[in-house]
Each structure stands twice: as structure tokens, then as C-alpha cells.
Amino acid sequence: MAALWASRTPLTTSQVQAQVGAGLAYNTVQTILTRLAAKGLLERAERGRAHVYWPTKDEASSAAAQLRTTLRAVGDRGKVLREFAAGLDDDEAEILRQWLSERSGES
């Protein structure tokens, strides 16, 4: 996903393989891309004899969706949120405070 988020254009399997490196076989990369597309995380289109892939959401939106999924899966959401907030550094906490303040002003 990182290779696709970093790209400004859709990538072929070969291009993703080159970006990822790590000695992954072409078929392995192709299988991963196909599965991510089936899960709705990627879009896919034909380009000549190959397929190109691009993310359906940007990195921030995808991370936020994962956090929401995690929150829905736990019993005490408040505790999880408090633990998460307690681990933020000062800059991150300020970003969250500012956003919450702006959000409460919209009501």
C-alpha cells in the first residue's frame, strides 16, 4: 500500500514489485494486489496487457478506518481512547485538542 500511496499515478504489478523490493516474487505481489482490490482497498484497470492499481483511500483515511474498526471491536471504547490519547506526544495532543475545539464550535 505504501508504494501505491506514494505514487501519483496507478502502478502495474511490476512497478509495485520494483518499489517494494524485498525479493518478493511477481506472482506474490500480483496475488496481494488482487486480494486488496477484492477487499475494496484498491481499484484496478487494464492497461494494455497489464493491470494498474491505485488506492481507493489515501493513507490517512485508511488509517482512520482501521482505528474505527478497532474501536468497534473492543468493549470499553472510552478506555481505549484514553489510553491512545495518553500515548500522544505534545504536538499530537495539540493537534487533537485543536481539532476537537474546532469541531465543538461547529455545533
Side-chain angles (χ1 to χ4, degrees):
M1 289 298 298
L4 292 164
W5 283 321
S7 177
R8 293 178 179 243
T9 60
L11 299 177
T12 64
T13 302
S14 295
Q15 291 169 321
V16 173
Q17 180 188 26
Q19 291 290 320
V20 173
L24 290 176
Y26 177 90
N27 288 346
T28 300
V29 175
Q30 185 176 40
T31 298
I32 292 168
L33 292 172
T34 300
R35 289 181 180 170
L36 290 171
K39 290 180 179 184
L41 299 172
L42 299 178
E43 290 288 330
R44 170 180 149 157
E46 287 187 31
R47 181 183 292 162
R49 293 180 55 193
H51 287 96
V52 292
Y53 298 87
W54 63 94
T56 57
K57 296 179 182 176
D58 63 25
E59 187 174 15
S61 297
S62 293
Q66 289 175 338
L67 289 170
R68 284 190 295 276
T69 299
T70 299
L71 277 176
R72 283 192 294 271
V74 298
D76 189 345
R77 293 174 68 174
K79 185 174 182 181
V80 172
L81 288 168
R82 286 189 297 278
E83 289 289 329
F84 174 77
L88 297 175
D89 66 27
D90 290 343
D91 291 338
E92 294 164 338
E94 181 55 33
I95 291 167
L96 185 56
R97 267 192 292 280
Q98 183 177 5
W99 182 82
L100 289 170
S101 175
E102 291 170 4
R103 182 175 181 228
S104 66
E106 292 176 3
S107 301

